[in-house]
Amino acid sequence: MLSIDGLAAIEAGVRLRFASRIRLGNGSYLDQGVYIHACPAGVTIGPRTLVMHGSVLHVYNFRDLPHAGITIGEDSLIGEMNVIRGQGGVSIGSRVYTSPLVQIIAVNHVFDDPDRPFVDQGITAEGIIIEDDVWIGSGAVITDGVRVGRGAVIAAAAVVTKDVPPHTVVGGVPAKTIKTITREAALSGQSERRGSVYLSLEQVS
């Protein structure tokens, strides 16, 4: 049976496989068309975290992988049509926002031997860690074995193949550092910004 800490909202058309291994935090939300497949280590979605339309959270573990599972912290947002594959384990922190069409793939095929099909060469599954307060742009891909540091920003369509330091903006294929987010840069940006900045009601009060 599905485990819910308090109240959670689940829209029509949500599919849950191995529901007894899924845990939803109080105030969490699963939008229409979300698919969650939870093998042994399961899937945990934290309080007030939203998983939007068409996203797939899949722990595809038929090889007894030791760290398989997906954990998402509090107040995070998984955007529309995201794919999160948790064979190597995916840990996503709190206040992490992913834009539409992001892929977080904690598994990789081995293809070193030209004389054998890649499907016969096995897989690696090192895992992915995304720390708190990270923003990931539309269409970005986070590959296996990567750690994204707190407060980092991943540009749209970036392919992240190496660790991202905290408070760093990266972009490109493969992703490279664009800039570091500093207090001085924030003050400069405030003076140069042409558009308006809108805060939530909680931030205003």
Side-chain angles (χ1 to χ4, degrees):
M1 181 178 294
L2 177 67
S3 177
I4 302 177
D5 298 327
L7 297 176
I10 301 176
E11 296 283 5
V14 171
R15 296 176 57 205
L16 305 177
R17 294 287 308 279
F18 303 101
S20 63
R21 296 168 179 156
I22 299 171
R23 189 178 196 93
L24 303 180
N26 185 43
S28 58
Y29 173 72
L30 304 181
D31 199 1
Q32 291 184 349
V34 167
Y35 175 50
I36 301 178
H37 182 292
C39 271
V43 174
T44 299
I45 297 172
R48 301 171 303 282
T49 285
L50 315 178
V51 182
M52 302 310 293
H53 173 77
S55 286
V56 175
L57 282 63
H58 203 301
V59 183
Y60 190 85
N61 184 15
F62 298 111
R63 303 177 192 241
D64 293 325
L65 300 171
H67 305 297
I70 297 170
T71 302
I72 306 173
E74 302 179 359
D75 300 305
S76 289
L77 171 69
I78 304 301
E80 294 85 350
M81 307 299 290
N82 279 208
V83 176
I84 303 175
R85 297 287 296 270
Q87 287 96 318
V90 172
S91 175
I92 298 175
S94 296
R95 300 172 304 280
V96 172
Y97 278 33
T98 69
S99 302
L101 300 173
V102 167
Q103 298 185 59
I104 300 169
I105 311 295
V107 64
N108 204 1
H109 284 279
V110 177
F111 51 90
D112 298 331
D113 187 345
D115 297 321
R116 287 195 297 158
F118 77 91
V119 295
D120 294 335
Q121 297 185 49
I123 63 171
T124 59
E126 301 176 52
I128 294 171
I129 297 174
I130 300 174
E131 298 181 1
D132 297 344
D133 304 309
V134 169
W135 176 27
I136 303 177
S138 297
V141 178
I142 313 298
T143 63
D144 189 35
V146 163
R147 185 184 194 104
V148 180
R150 182 181 184 124
V153 176
I154 311 300
V159 177
V160 181
T161 60
K162 297 181 179 179
D163 290 355
V164 178
H167 304 291
T168 301
V169 181
V170 301
V173 181
K176 297 180 180 179
T177 298
I178 296 173
K179 70 175 184 178
T180 301
I181 301 170
T182 64
R183 191 179 305 276
E184 293 74 21
L187 294 173
S188 173
Q190 289 173 9
S191 63
E192 297 174 0
R193 188 176 290 112
R194 291 174 291 179
S196 299
V197 175
Y198 300 95
L199 302 175
S200 68
L201 293 177
E202 291 82 0
Q203 291 169 318
V204 172
S205 59

